[in-house]
Amino acid sequence: GVVEKIGFRSTSVRKFDKSMCTIPNFQFAENPVINISEISNRRINWIVGLEYGSTVDQLRKVRDQIEEFIKTDDLFYVSESTPVIVRVDKFSDSSIDILVRCFTKTNQYQEWLDIKDKLALAIKEIVEENNTGFAFPSQSLYIEKK
């Protein structure tokens, strides 16, 4: 939101939905305050869950192609302090998880949403081209016969 008034005991913030929020000033001393308008780029941090039926070769290709897409697209900011991270992260209950972490060159919310949309579609295309699929939560039940 936007700070409208700073008083001795509280600060008034107009939220994006136009509602007024009054925050006691002691909370600013105890909690971090992030000024989003001052950031230079926005982060995308996703977990992409792939099917357990994916082969090691498929996982490697998906991982490498996602990383290559991000590194070669001009919409993403890649530096030593903002590296692209695309790694097989863990074996979850229903998926093999790939961590995707990168930064966009914009700090504008709408542009960030557009870039996320482009990345999501690219990841979907990469997964499909490698003949694997996205996992979804599932459970197996085993019934014992007596």
Side-chain angles (χ1 to χ4, degrees):
V2 176
V3 174
E4 289 204 352
K5 178 184 169 199
I6 299 174
F8 182 70
R9 298 185 125 178
S10 65
T11 298
S12 298
V13 177
R14 178 76 59 190
K15 293 170 45 175
F16 293 118
D17 64 1
K18 303 297 182 202
S19 63
M20 183 63 73
C21 179
T22 302
I23 304 164
N25 285 340
F26 80 87
Q27 289 189 354
F28 291 113
E30 295 177 359
N31 296 301
V33 177
I34 299 168
N35 186 347
I36 298 294
S37 65
E38 295 296 319
I39 64 173
S40 59
N41 42 45
R42 288 182 180 257
R43 183 178 74 172
I44 297 172
N45 191 55
W46 286 341
I47 297 292
V48 178
L50 298 181
E51 299 170 334
Y52 263 103
S54 304
T55 66
V56 171
D57 189 50
Q58 288 171 318
L59 291 171
R60 282 187 184 117
K61 285 180 181 176
V62 168
R63 177 199 65 200
D64 294 346
Q65 289 174 14
I66 292 171
E67 185 172 354
E68 184 65 20
F69 176 83
I70 294 168
K71 284 182 174 180
T72 58
D73 193 295
D74 287 340
L75 296 172
F76 298 95
Y77 184 72
V78 181
S79 73
E80 194 173 296
S81 62
T82 58
V84 174
I85 299 171
V86 183
R87 297 288 180 268
V88 176
D89 187 49
K90 65 181 176 178
F91 298 100
S92 291
D93 293 338
S94 303
S95 62
I96 299 173
D97 293 343
I98 295 179
L99 169 65
V100 178
R101 182 175 295 148
C102 58
F103 293 84
T104 63
K105 286 187 176 177
T106 185
N107 69 348
Q108 300 300 311
Y109 184 70
Q110 187 60 49
E111 290 176 33
W112 176 72
L113 288 176
D114 293 341
I115 295 167
K116 280 179 50 176
D117 179 74
K118 181 179 179 177
L119 179 58
L121 294 173
I123 290 172
K124 174 81 167 134
E125 193 172 70
I126 289 167
V127 169
E128 289 175 354
E129 285 174 357
N130 285 286
N131 297 314
T132 188
F134 295 97
F136 54 89
S138 61
Q139 257 183 344
S140 297
L141 296 176
Y142 298 94
I143 300 173
E144 186 178 326
K145 290 185 181 182
K146 289 188 178 188

